[in-house]
Amino acid sequence: MDFQGRITINPSVRFGKPCVRGTRLTVGDVLGFLASGMGEAELLEDFPQLSHDDVLACLAYAADRERLLLSLTTAA
């Protein structure tokens, strides 16, 4: 999943946290809901502005960030 077209960072929206394009929902918000046990269907019902691909983009963004952090810590 290529998240780059779906996840945006704008300093004037949610203090520059990565958000789903066109919303004020952060990647952290989406991941937090999923981690708390909310299913994707429920998440999409509660936030109709989200799509399945938006949820996948949040997961891809988090995975990419994790890989980046790991590479920075192992390179030091």
Side-chain angles (χ1 to χ4, degrees):
M1 161 58 68
D2 179 22
F3 63 84
Q4 294 180 353
R6 293 188 175 272
I7 305 299
T8 60
I9 297 175
N10 181 338
S12 63
V13 177
R14 299 290 303 268
F15 304 102
K17 294 178 181 177
C19 292
V20 177
R21 176 192 67 221
T23 75
R24 295 181 55 81
L25 287 166
T26 67
V27 170
D29 293 336
V30 173
L31 297 176
F33 289 128
L34 294 172
S36 71
M38 181 182 276
E40 182 184 356
E42 185 181 1
L43 181 66
L44 296 176
E45 185 177 319
D46 286 354
F47 299 98
Q49 67 270 40
L50 291 179
S51 70
H52 171 71
D53 285 341
D54 292 331
V55 175
L56 291 180
C58 289
L59 293 169
Y61 180 90
D64 191 62
R65 185 175 167 125
E66 181 66 19
R67 278 189 294 275
L68 176 64
L69 289 174
L70 181 62
S71 69
L72 291 175
T73 59
T74 57

